[in-house]
Amino acid sequence: MKKLIIALVLGIGLNGFAQENKPKTNKTTHKKEMKSDVKQKDQTGRDVSKKNEKSQEKKTEPKATVTKTSTTQKKDHKTKK
């Protein structure tokens, strides 16, 4: 039983070292990634500013005032049904 456990641990350990290494990225692909990151940041910045503008517009819009109904209006409403 001990030999089986030792063999499994050894096999797992060797398997971890046997992994292939990824090729290093060259500078041109890194620059392309940087450019796309900048574009994404610009786009998200524009989206956030649009949301902020919309929220400010909603805040500045006058809200409809709610008026209390008078007792005569309540009576009229009940009689209509």
Side-chain angles (χ1 to χ4, degrees):
M1 189 68 178
K2 288 182 181 179
K3 290 181 181 180
L4 180 62
I5 294 173
I6 292 171
L8 285 173
V9 170
L10 184 62
I12 293 170
L14 290 176
N15 194 15
F17 285 112
Q19 299 295 322
E20 293 182 24
N21 292 332
K22 292 181 181 179
K24 294 182 180 179
T25 58
N26 57 16
K27 292 180 181 179
T28 56
T29 57
H30 185 65
K31 287 180 182 177
K32 288 179 184 177
E33 290 174 3
M34 293 292 287
K35 287 180 182 178
S36 65
D37 289 344
V38 171
K39 288 179 184 178
Q40 287 175 342
K41 285 181 183 178
D42 290 341
Q43 184 63 37
T44 53
R46 283 186 235 127
D47 293 342
V48 169
S49 64
K50 285 179 185 179
K51 277 188 176 181
N52 288 339
E53 288 174 8
K54 287 181 182 179
S55 66
Q56 288 296 328
E57 287 175 6
K58 286 184 179 181
K59 287 180 182 178
T60 58
E61 286 179 1
K63 295 182 179 178
T65 57
V66 179
T67 57
K68 293 185 177 180
T69 56
S70 65
T71 54
T72 55
Q73 288 174 336
K74 288 180 183 178
K75 288 179 185 176
D76 290 340
H77 185 68
K78 287 182 181 177
T79 56
K80 288 182 182 178
K81 288 183 180 180

